[in-house]
Amino acid sequence: MRHVIALDVGGTGMKAALVGPDGELLHQDRRATGRDRGPDAVVAAILEFAAELHGYGERHLGEPASAAGVAVPGIVDESAGIAVYAANLGWRDIPLRALLSDRLGIPVALGHDVRTGGLAEGRLGAGRGADRFFFVALGTGIAGGFGLDGRVESGAHGFAGEIGHVVVRPQGAPCPCGQRGCLERYASAAAVSEAWAKACGDPDADAADCAKAVTSGDPNAVRVWGEAVAALADGLVTAVTLLDPRVLIIGGGLAEAGSVLFQPLREAVESRVTFQKLPTIVPAALGDTAGCLGAGLLAQDLLTTTTAEVTP
Ligand SMILES: [Zn+2]
């Protein structure tokens, strides 16, 4: 059966699937990245895992995969097929697309993890049917992706959508990126965890605990949460002003707080817009499978494009 390889590379683990023509998952598997053995070992593990998946299709599905899509963290130059930088994997300028297509002998698409997840949310998940959407993942950091007519914009150098480094508090907290007051220093799951641990005096308390304390009316938690929501709304209004999306899709760990986040966030965004059109603000629907599903879409798009290019 005709299928593609979808591979989502995270910091510690990789998730993979073989995806059929109608998006059906024909086979799923996981591996560790082995990043404690260094950046080259991670690349070797990806190549090995992809080759195993290729072999699996040949043995069990009657033919090997026709294409592969691979989502990786950090900064990714999608048009050049290069993993430019990934702090959690120790990567710099890895020509991953060429390495994979040489190893597998099939076309390969390389994608940024958050943009790839956004692609899946926009086409299959919370933004299904929306011609223009902005996807934001609130995790350890914050990143986003602007979806337009079925694709997600990567920018001239692979840096588009980095809303986590939009300055929302000028002269605020220093960020590892070199600026001060970046959105991700205030509204990422990591930033809220840090602020709540400090406020409640429990070093192990995290953002989910803060959300629970908000529900029970703890004034300290309400203050910490409110500051994060205000910063997030400031950042999102910048995105709304620049992009005029129809839908804002919010995912990542912090979005799991549900209405504790979404109700005040919708109000905060609404109170800030003046002339801008208010987008619908919805939680992401695909959870941690979004990256893998998006990688499958990248691979399938490659086949559609290739076919279109050779058809007179
Ligand atoms: Zn920053």
Side-chain angles (χ1 to χ4, degrees), residues 72 75-85 92-97 110:
V72 298
I75 301 291
V76 183
D77 187 338
E78 283 149 359
S79 53
I82 292 172
V84 176
Y85 174 74
R92 262 187 201 285
D93 297 323
I94 310 277
L96 199 55
R97 186 176 67 198
L110 188 66

Side-chain angles (χ1 to χ4, degrees), residues 157-195:
H157 311 91
F159 287 71
E162 294 290 352
I163 190 173
H165 301 284
V166 163
V167 174
V168 292
R169 299 290 176 264
Q171 310 310 317
C175 181
C177 79
Q179 304 183 115
R180 298 184 78 96
C182 291
L183 175 60
E184 83 171 30
R185 299 296 297 122
Y186 300 90
S188 61
V192 175
S193 295
E194 194 184 316

Side-chain angles (χ1 to χ4, degrees), residues 1 20 27-29 50 68 79 83 90 100 108 115 128-129 155 180 190 192 216 221 228 238 286 309 311:
M1 183 190 230
H27 171 66
Q28 285 177 274
D29 204 355
S79 53
L100 277 160
V108 176
R115 287 197 292 266
R128 195 171 178 153
R180 298 184 78 96
V192 175
S216 61
T238 299
L286 304 174
E309 277 169 2
T311 307

Side-chain angles (χ1 to χ4, degrees), residues 207-231:
D209 299 323
C210 185
K212 272 184 224 141
V214 169
T215 313
S216 61
D218 181 318
N220 250 339
V222 170
R223 178 183 53 79
V224 167
W225 195 257
E227 284 168 7
V229 169

Side-chain angles (χ1 to χ4, degrees), residues 32-49:
T33 54
R35 66 173 170 183
D36 45 329
R37 297 197 306 273
D40 293 341
V42 177
V43 175
I46 293 170
L47 294 175
E48 198 53 45
F49 192 21

Side-chain angles (χ1 to χ4, degrees), residues 45 86 158 213 220 237 280:
N220 250 339
V237 168
T280 313

Side-chain angles (χ1 to χ4, degrees), residues 51 61 65 89 104 140 152 163 179 197 219 255 283:
L61 301 172
L89 298 174
L104 303 175
T140 313
V152 175
I163 190 173
Q179 304 183 115

